[in-house]
Amino acid sequence: MTTIAVLGNGRVGGNLAAALTRAGHEVTVADRTPGAAAGAARTAGIVINATPGAGSLERLVALRKELRDTILVDVSNATVDGPDGLPADLVYPGSSLAEQLQEALPETRVVKTLNTMLFPVMTAPAALTQAPDAFLSGEDPQAKQTVRDLLIDLGWRKEWITDLGGIQTARATEAATLFVPHVMRSSGFAPFAISIAR
């Protein structure tokens, strides 16, 4: 059992918190009330960033002390939304939210994952008709192994998890979010994940 703090109680955070609790982990969800994020992060071994990506960097840098020596699992994409509320551009072109977080929080082990799919797939990958992929980006091999184990707890098979390498590789998976609005306009809001055909 791992003590996990989920920052963000929207659809993504709530979905992950419920699934991880069912898997036997001790999970705290931090809402937007003052001090909630700091209190949750202070006692957790793993912190999941499920806050809106455009404001994540500022929120998490404010938790620098609480996030020291912690694994920060970043599942958010920092995007500029278009008029319809769907992603239209990247906040950090030529970089990524994960890279910005790792640079700003050098004593925190940042791992990027689960950001190339609609939120229902994060906790029910087997529900898709084809095998999905979950990608890992991060500098710390041990932290990535811990996150890999969490993904398995969420129903991901080992062969569906691909380690892309260092944190810089997160810029590729974050850019993939620009597929989302086009796919949704084409086929509606049906769960999907970006995967590699092999």
Side-chain angles (χ1 to χ4, degrees):
M1 183 185 74
T2 307
T3 304
I4 300 170
V6 178
L7 306 185
N9 62 346
R11 292 181 298 180
V12 174
N15 187 39
L16 286 168
L20 289 166
T21 299
R22 286 193 301 271
H25 297 286
E26 183 181 328
V27 181
T28 303
V29 180
D31 58 22
R32 297 189 181 200
T33 57
R42 191 176 297 117
T43 58
I46 298 173
V47 175
I48 297 176
N49 174 39
T51 65
S56 288
L57 183 60
E58 182 180 356
R59 285 188 189 96
L60 292 169
V61 166
L63 301 174
R64 182 190 316 272
K65 180 180 175 184
E66 290 82 3
L67 292 172
R68 187 176 296 136
D69 299 324
T70 331
I71 296 173
L72 176 62
V73 183
D74 180 31
V75 303
S76 296
N77 289 309
T79 57
V80 178
D81 291 341
D84 58 1
L86 295 174
D89 208 346
L90 301 173
V91 172
Y92 306 109
S95 183
S96 64
L97 172 59
E99 289 173 87
Q100 298 293 316
L101 288 168
Q102 187 61 86
E103 183 177 353
L105 302 166
E107 295 177 279
T108 302
R109 294 172 289 166
V110 179
V111 179
K112 189 81 181 191
T113 193
L114 294 180
N115 63 311
T116 54
M117 61 202 69
L118 292 191
F119 78 91
V121 181
M122 295 178 176
T123 58
L128 297 181
T129 57
Q130 296 166 285
D133 279 290
F135 303 102
L136 296 173
S137 300
E139 298 300 323
D140 188 291
Q142 187 176 4
K144 284 194 283 188
Q145 182 57 53
T146 299
V147 175
R148 182 185 294 269
D149 292 342
L150 274 188
L151 294 181
I152 290 169
D153 285 348
L154 290 173
W156 289 85
R157 296 181 187 171
K158 290 179 182 179
E159 63 269 25
W160 295 350
I161 304 169
T162 301
D163 186 345
L164 295 179
I167 201 68
Q168 188 177 23
T169 63
R171 67 181 63 177
T173 61
E174 289 192 27
T177 195
L178 298 180
F179 274 101
V180 170
H182 307 299
V183 173
M184 288 176 64
R185 290 185 193 109
S186 172
S187 56
F189 189 87
F192 72 89
I194 293 168
S195 59
I196 306 299
R198 295 180 178 86

